[in-house]
Amino acid sequence: LYKFLGENVYYIQMENVENIINDSDDLKTYFLKIHAPWEVLATYADVLKIKVPFKESDIPHGQDVPLEWLSRPFRLPEKVMRPQPDYFTSPFDKDKIDFFLIKNQDTFFPPSTRNRIVYYILSRCPYHKEDRKETDKKGIKRLLNNGTYTSAFPLHDRNTNEQCESERYHLYKNWARFLCFYKEQPLNLIRKYYGEKIGIYFAWLGFYTEMLFFAAVMGVICFTYGVLSYDDNLTSKEICDPSIGGRTVMCPLCDKKCSYWKLNSTCLSSWQSHLFDNEGTVFFAMFMGIWVTLFLEFWKRRQAQLEYEWDLVDFEEEQQQLQIRPEFETKCTDQRLNRITQEMEPYLPLPKKCGRFCLSGVTVLFWMLLIVACITGVIVYRLAVYAAFASIMKDSPTKKIHLVGSLITPQLATSVTASFINFVIIMILNFFYERVAIWITDMEIPKTHLEYENKLTMKMFLFQFVNYYSSCFYVAFFKGKFVGYPGNYTYMFGKYSRLRNEECDPGGCLIELTTQLVIVMTGKQVCGNIQEALLPNWWCSRKARKDQYSRWEQDHDLQNFSQLGLFYEYLEMVIQFGFITLFVASFPLAPLLALCNNILEVRVDAWKFTTQFRRPVAAKAHNIGAWQEILNVVAILSVVTNAFIMAFTSDMIPRLVYLYAYHPGSEATMSGYINNSLSVYDISQIPLLSTPICCLRYRDYRYPPGHQRQYSHTMQFWHILAAKLAFIIIMEHVVFVVKFFVAWLIPDVPSEVKARIKRERYLIQEYLHNYEVEKLKIQLSQSFIIEPKPEVCTATDKHHVLSECL
């Protein structure tokens, strides 16, 4: 044990470590409590340049907000929100201990700082013999991996059910309980107990949830408009009219097994499509493009405020220089001179780096292609099974099912089953790829923890993006776009495959995109909440004992919060962010579902951290890392996707072109739109087919049979296409101009925070100067008292001596 702990921690044990404890239930598990005494904490606080208070802040928190009483029900007690006063802080210097406000050495460093220092030491201590140069034998992490130790973790405070003034109890009482869902989060207490990295996550999650409220309200208004304009929808009325839709016979939707069908059979789906495909959807899509910008810009301001309050303004440079991963130091045997520090440091040569990077890229590309192959398989399933459902439901046996029997159609059955199969495939691929991503990231040997997390973040999000969104992209932009026309249909793998490309649902492709989005998004959130809420509880109940046992054994029975635990929390929320921004034009209620999920998510995560997980090792972070850039990319991409959804997936543009250019008579009306949007096919052109029907209709804009350019696109088709492209250009430019103007108008750092940072830096310099002057005065006074006074000493000599000392 001493050989592993090394010189630094050896003194920790000799000074303040209890004996090895064996009070476990099985009498086989041994616990070693490691305490860091003041001398070690002070030494490594100096090494890590940890900021500590030197003077209580005299800057007021801010002016009173008008109508402040309205927010009182949502506030927490002041002692919970601000567990300690605000201080001016400066990097700790062991040689200037009397400069800092050290009232009590035991409480001067907060718990998160203490456990971070101890873990920093343990992760770098060698445990090889002195006469051997086994440089790979270093750090507690390697000993955990090879089974020498089973776990290493900081201890929690006392139990949450004890009526005591502990930080953990206050967190459980005011944060982790679901009844506090409407209350603000005690971010300062979270930061003090768990560290800045976890505090930043919950600050971002809370801010994201607050901003979702405005998007959810606007989405509900848009959906309500669709419900209220239900009776004014002339298009659906014509479809449902027995004299119009009842007399319109449509072409079969698949070969051989599908029969002719009447247009009024899609009456219900057309009404459903109108709820999401109306004039309000265009406004909502543009609103969400601006909302995304406001969310990101206001978060930057909130993040800058937290950076100042949590002493993280100058943290990034420390993170890069000081926190090199032990794995990098162990695996990189080559060394070179650091031009800045002029010291030898390990590095990875360029040929090895390129080889590892290429292998990593090939692995990621293979998994991307595997996702595409799985999506192709789901599409083949849709094409093959639709014909089977159409054959089974030919005589409408499902109508015998009460209540829902009339709602079940071949299109609905195919879409729902394919969506569920796609969701199962998504979850299976996620399970395997998570392990592959960690392996290939370790293989690249990142230098710092920040670099490791950023590389893993990009790999995981790239995979998740393709995995979760590819099916939605297919329904939105490919399904129903390459169908052909009767007599010349397009097939997926050629005509001999007999897999005719899918047509959109008779109510339009938008309602199918909505179905796909609801199933995947809701399924992911439900599975995530079940996994987060039930599994930890089951694990703890399985290990719990009825009798009382020690604090360290209770923590040992809790679940381990891995180094990547927070990474998965971010990933879950960013994937959700993609759902409510990339495809929100098809489902305005998506922000409302996300809001309800996040209100639960905050409290479930808080409950897990305080009761179900071991206390994680504290870490510092001044922002959300690579997720910020990912959110920016998703925000820009969402404007493009929503513009294309409104143009090519929705029927909004064809209806507007008909209303203003092709309506009959002098008055603009939608009357006759259905007949105008359906082309005619002469069924007598199909040989060996006898039927009393002469002509069939299909969705397209083509010249009728007998025309000089029969079955080629009409001029109206090209007018609609031009209108779609114009709409995309106009919408993108309007939204992007507003986005960039808003981003320019809102500064990333509030002016108040800038002023506070400048004042604090000024005060640090002033107080340090005064401290040095006072210290010099004391030294000079002591030297004059101790040294014999010379017989002759002029004023000039005294000035010369003082200037030399200064």
Side-chain angles (χ1 to χ4, degrees):
L1 177 65
Y2 295 155
K3 290 292 183 182
F4 158 64
L5 291 177
E7 183 180 357
N8 293 324
V9 187
Y10 176 80
Y11 286 115
I12 296 177
Q13 176 162 14
M14 292 299 293
E15 182 134 350
N16 195 12
V17 169
E18 299 182 14
N19 295 329
I20 297 178
I21 305 166
N22 182 15
D23 59 354
S24 61
D25 191 30
D26 56 5
L27 299 179
K28 296 180 181 179
T29 305
Y30 291 82
F31 297 89
L32 172 66
K33 292 177 64 179
I34 299 179
H35 298 256
W38 167 256
E39 188 66 24
V40 174
L41 291 175
T43 300
Y44 279 90
D46 192 354
V47 171
L48 297 175
K49 302 300 180 184
I50 293 174
K51 290 187 175 182
V52 294
F54 67 90
K55 182 184 182 299
E56 192 166 340
S57 175
D58 57 359
I59 301 177
H61 294 307
Q63 300 178 353
D64 294 336
V65 181
L67 302 178
E68 185 181 4
W69 59 272
L70 291 174
S71 62
R72 288 178 184 173
F74 308 102
R75 292 187 173 182
L76 292 172
E78 186 67 17
K79 67 177 182 179
V80 176
M81 289 302 297
R82 298 187 178 276
Q84 59 186 15
D86 289 337
Y87 294 99
F88 292 124
T89 60
S90 176
F92 185 79
D93 189 342
K94 192 177 179 181
D95 297 329
K96 301 175 182 177
I97 289 183
D98 52 343
F99 173 72
F100 303 100
L101 293 178
I102 305 177
K103 299 178 182 178
N104 186 349
Q105 291 183 353
D106 294 335
T107 59
F108 180 67
F109 294 106
S112 58
T113 301
R114 293 201 301 269
N115 76 58
R116 186 164 69 93
I117 290 175
V118 172
Y119 188 80
Y120 179 86
I121 298 172
L122 294 178
S123 63
R124 284 159 174 78
C125 283
Y127 58 91
H128 56 79
K129 294 183 178 180
E130 296 179 359
D131 57 341
R132 295 184 182 180
K133 295 183 179 180
E134 300 170 295
T135 57
D136 60 328
K137 292 187 175 182
K138 180 186 294 185
I140 185 67
K141 187 174 181 180
R142 185 176 179 86
L143 289 172
L144 291 172
N145 292 336
N146 63 27
T148 303
Y149 290 92
T150 58
S151 58
F153 52 90
L155 290 180
H156 271 298
D157 285 346
R158 286 170 286 181
N159 289 338
T160 57
N161 57 359
E162 295 180 6
Q163 299 295 325
C164 58
E165 292 295 324
S166 68
E167 295 172 353
R168 188 187 184 195
Y169 173 73
H170 284 306
L171 285 172
Y172 177 78
K173 180 182 177 181
N174 300 286
W175 180 49
R177 294 189 304 167
F178 182 74
L179 294 179
C180 300
F181 71 92
Y182 62 94
K183 295 280 189 179
E184 59 184 338
Q185 296 187 84
L187 295 178
N188 288 323
L189 190 57
I190 297 171
R191 173 240 179 171
K192 183 181 179 183
Y193 192 76
Y194 290 111
E196 289 80 2
K197 191 172 184 179
I198 293 178
I200 282 286
Y201 164 72
F202 281 104
W204 176 82
L205 180 58
F207 184 82
Y208 171 47
T209 304
E210 292 173 6
M211 291 294 293
L212 273 177
F213 174 79
F214 302 101
V217 169
M218 192 58 64
V220 170
I221 292 175
C222 178
F223 180 77
T224 304
Y225 172 79
V227 174
L228 295 179
S229 60
Y230 199 74
D231 295 330
D232 299 331
N233 183 16
L234 294 179
T235 302
S236 296
K237 287 183 177 180
E238 289 188 354
I239 293 176
C240 300
D241 191 344
S243 61
I244 300 177
R247 295 183 180 182
T248 303
V249 182
M250 305 293 292
C251 291
L253 294 176
C254 66
D255 295 342
K256 295 185 178 181
K257 294 184 179 181
C258 296
S259 60
Y260 311 119
W261 53 282
K262 293 185 178 180
L263 185 62
N264 64 350
S265 64
T266 64
C267 176
L268 182 61
S269 63
S270 67
W271 285 115
Q272 293 172 344
S273 179
H274 175 73
L275 296 177
F276 306 105
D277 189 7
N278 52 68
E279 292 80 2
T281 308
V282 180
F283 168 77
F284 183 66
M286 300 181 70
F287 168 82
M288 287 301 295
I290 300 172
W291 174 88
V292 169
T293 304
L294 291 174
F295 163 64
L296 295 176
E297 292 301 319
F298 282 128
W299 165 246
K300 290 178 183 178
R301 292 170 62 85
R302 176 62 174 147
Q303 187 172 257
Q305 184 179 358
L306 289 175
E307 285 184 19
Y308 166 74
E309 293 178 356
W310 292 357
D311 300 320
L312 299 171
V313 176
D314 302 320
F315 168 69
E316 184 174 5
E317 187 175 349
E318 302 171 14
Q319 177 85 354
Q320 293 288 346
Q321 293 182 356
L322 298 177
Q323 298 198 4
I324 297 177
R325 296 176 69 233
E327 294 84 352
F328 181 83
E329 297 174 340
T330 300
K331 295 180 181 179
C332 296
T333 57
D334 299 291
Q335 294 203 358
R336 67 178 176 184
L337 183 67
N338 189 314
R339 296 180 180 179
I340 300 175
T341 63
Q342 293 298 313
E343 295 179 358
M344 299 300 294
E345 65 175 8
Y347 85 105
L348 189 65
L350 185 60
K352 293 183 180 180
K353 184 181 294 186
C354 292
R356 292 173 182 271
F357 179 79
C358 291
L359 181 58
S360 173
V362 170
T363 305
V364 173
L365 180 61
F366 168 78
W367 281 88
M368 299 296 106
L369 296 176
L370 183 60
I371 296 174
V372 174
C374 292
I375 296 299
T376 304
V378 174
I379 296 173
V380 172
Y381 165 85
R382 298 171 70 109
L383 299 179
V385 171
Y386 178 80
F389 278 127
S391 177
I392 294 173
M393 299 178 182
K394 184 183 298 184
D395 300 325
S396 301
T398 57
K399 289 186 177 180
K400 298 179 182 179
I401 304 175
H402 295 288
L403 298 179
V404 299
S406 59
L407 304 179
I408 301 177
T409 62
Q411 296 88 353
L412 179 63
T414 303
S415 179
V416 171
T417 56
S419 298
F420 276 109
I421 292 174
N422 181 65
F423 177 71
V424 172
I425 293 174
I426 287 173
M427 301 307 293
I428 293 174
L429 290 177
N430 276 346
F431 176 78
F432 289 104
Y433 184 77
E434 286 178 2
R435 289 146 182 81
V436 174
I438 294 174
W439 174 74
I440 59 179
T441 306
D442 286 331
M443 181 192 62
E444 294 180 14
I445 319 179
K447 184 177 181 180
T448 64
H449 292 284
L450 181 63
E451 184 181 353
Y452 177 84
E453 290 186 5
N454 288 345
K455 287 188 175 183
L456 182 61
T457 297
M458 297 306 297
K459 291 181 179 64
M460 283 297 298
F461 179 76
L462 180 62
F463 174 83
Q464 298 274 22
F465 183 91
V466 178
N467 198 18
Y468 278 105
Y469 304 144
S470 55
S471 58
C472 294
F473 273 102
Y474 164 74
V475 175
F477 305 124
F478 295 98
K479 183 179 178 182
K481 306 300 186 294
F482 310 99
V483 177
Y485 59 92
N488 189 26
Y489 283 117
T490 305
Y491 293 82
M492 186 172 182
F493 299 112
K495 190 172 183 179
Y496 296 100
S497 67
R498 299 181 180 179
L499 295 174
R500 198 174 100 188
N501 284 352
E502 271 190 296
E503 296 186 43
C504 287
D505 186 275
C509 274
L510 195 70
I511 192 65
E512 292 196 37
L513 178 58
T514 303
T515 303
Q516 180 77 23
L517 183 64
V518 169
I519 290 176
V520 177
M521 179 180 174
T522 307
K524 183 183 185 304
Q525 293 183 164
V526 170
C527 289
N529 288 330
I530 291 175
Q531 182 180 359
E532 291 181 1
L534 297 184
L535 291 184
N537 194 23
W538 168 83
W539 175 269
C540 292
S541 62
R542 185 176 69 88
K543 283 196 166 188
R545 301 204 315 249
K546 295 182 179 179
D547 57 327
Q548 295 293 327
Y549 56 119
S550 61
R551 169 75 271 147
W552 44 88
E553 194 171 3
Q554 292 179 39
D555 286 5
H556 181 264
D557 289 344
L558 297 177
Q559 275 194 307
N560 180 42
F561 188 79
S562 66
Q563 185 180 1
L564 299 176
L566 209 57
F567 165 81
Y568 293 114
E569 301 293 343
Y570 273 118
L571 182 63
E572 180 185 1
M573 288 296 102
V574 173
I575 292 297
Q576 180 202 87
F577 180 80
F579 278 123
I580 69 167
T581 53
L582 294 174
F583 309 102
V584 73
S586 66
F587 188 46
L589 295 180
L592 179 63
L593 293 181
L595 174 64
C596 297
N597 175 80
N598 287 8
I599 291 175
L600 179 64
E601 180 77 19
V602 172
R603 304 304 159 177
V604 169
D605 286 348
W607 171 75
K608 288 189 309 180
F609 272 93
T610 53
T611 64
Q612 306 300 306
F613 283 127
R614 297 172 186 166
R615 188 174 184 173
V617 177
K620 299 187 74 172
H622 72 294
N623 55 32
I624 60 176
W627 300 111
Q628 184 75 39
E629 295 302 322
I630 290 175
L631 292 175
N632 290 332
V633 172
V634 172
I636 295 174
L637 185 60
S638 66
V639 178
V640 180
T641 56
N642 283 299
F644 272 84
I645 287 173
M646 295 306 304
F648 289 98
T649 309
S650 168
D651 284 339
M652 180 63 60
I653 302 301
R655 291 199 297 263
L656 292 177
V657 171
Y658 176 82
L659 179 64
Y660 293 107
Y662 287 89
H663 67 275
S666 58
E667 183 180 356
T669 177
M670 290 299 296
S671 178
Y673 170 73
I674 292 299
N675 183 64
N676 176 265
S677 63
L678 298 176
S679 299
V680 180
Y681 179 74
D682 186 2
I683 199 172
S684 63
Q685 296 182 11
I686 302 179
L688 303 177
L689 182 63
S690 59
T691 175
I693 305 172
C694 64
C695 296
L696 296 177
R697 309 298 295 271
Y698 60 96
R699 290 170 57 94
D700 209 341
Y701 294 92
R702 296 180 182 272
Y703 287 110
H707 191 275
Q708 183 180 4
R709 302 176 58 190
Q710 66 176 3
Y711 301 131
S712 61
H713 285 120
T714 63
M715 187 56 64
Q716 185 176 355
F717 169 84
W718 299 110
H719 288 167
I720 292 174
L721 181 61
K724 290 179 177 180
L725 297 177
F727 172 81
I728 292 173
I729 295 173
I730 293 174
M731 178 177 173
E732 286 183 354
H733 280 71
V734 169
V735 175
F736 278 132
V737 167
V738 174
K739 280 170 63 68
F740 291 131
F741 176 74
V742 170
W744 171 79
L745 189 64
I746 303 175
D748 293 346
V749 181
S751 57
E752 182 182 0
V753 173
K754 289 182 180 179
R756 286 169 176 256
I757 293 174
K758 291 179 180 179
R759 172 165 172 74
E760 181 166 334
R761 287 175 175 171
Y762 165 75
L763 290 177
I764 290 174
Q765 293 179 354
E766 183 179 4
Y767 276 90
L768 279 174
H769 172 74
N770 294 336
Y771 170 80
E772 294 292 344
V773 170
E774 292 295 329
K775 189 175 181 180
L776 180 60
K777 287 180 179 179
I778 294 174
Q779 292 176 355
L780 289 175
S781 63
Q782 292 176 351
S783 65
F784 281 122
I785 293 173
I786 296 173
E787 295 179 3
K789 186 175 181 180
E791 295 180 359
V792 180
C793 183
T794 63
T796 307
D797 297 332
K798 289 183 179 180
H799 178 75
H800 179 69
V801 172
L802 181 61
S803 63
E804 285 186 351
C805 293
L806 291 174

